[in-house]
Amino acid sequence: QVQLVESGGGLVQPGGSLRLSCAASGFAFSIAAMGWYRQAPGKERELVAKITSGGTTMYADSVKGRFTISRDNAKNTVYLQMNSLKPEDTAVYYCNRENLGGRYYPWGQGTQVTVSS
């Protein structure tokens, strides 16, 4: 049974920081590429960061230089450190496995990030 549980979201002012966590279970996490996605109201879900099993990272242009993805295989957890947050970062953030031919495990509930004064 695959489970993806996101946490760490909240309300933060512009310029602030948050660290999101994704606890994964039910699959071989250590060999899986993982990604963080976000979905804002009225918009499609978009990939914002990806990390391979070997630690190679990729970021959407909109978050480069501000977000950092990392993983702890011993804890089956992937993280997203978000700095210099902007109002346009407001969204529900999700994690999932990458590199499965466009297929995804069942999505978790996500965690809400709201950037506002």
Side-chain angles (χ1 to χ4, degrees):
Q1 187 80 34
V2 172
Q3 286 192 300
L4 300 165
V5 182
E6 301 92 348
S7 62
L11 174 64
V12 64
Q13 293 187 335
S17 297
L18 286 171
R19 190 178 79 152
L20 308 184
S21 298
C22 169
S25 61
F27 63 95
F29 180 86
S30 64
I31 64 170
M34 299 294 295
W36 280 99
Y37 292 78
R38 68 186 181 189
Q39 187 167 26
K43 298 182 65 177
E44 298 289 329
R45 181 155 39 209
E46 63 172 338
L47 179 68
V48 299
K50 178 181 178 179
I51 185 167
T52 70
S53 60
T56 301
T57 59
M58 180 278 289
Y59 301 92
D61 288 343
S62 58
V63 307
K64 284 180 180 176
R66 300 187 298 119
F67 290 11
T68 303
I69 188 171
S70 61
R71 65 193 297 159
D72 185 341
N73 288 344
K75 297 182 179 294
N76 278 19
T77 300
V78 61
Y79 304 96
L80 186 68
Q81 178 67 47
M82 306 186 296
N83 299 325
S84 302
L85 283 162
K86 304 174 180 179
E88 48 263 50
D89 296 319
T90 296
V92 179
Y93 284 72
Y94 303 87
C95 64
N96 214 309
R97 186 171 183 175
E98 294 294 313
N99 200 31
L100 287 175
R103 294 177 290 111
Y104 300 94
Y105 290 138
W107 299 93
Q109 293 188 40
T111 185
Q112 176 72 50
V113 172
T114 302
V115 185
S116 176
S117 299

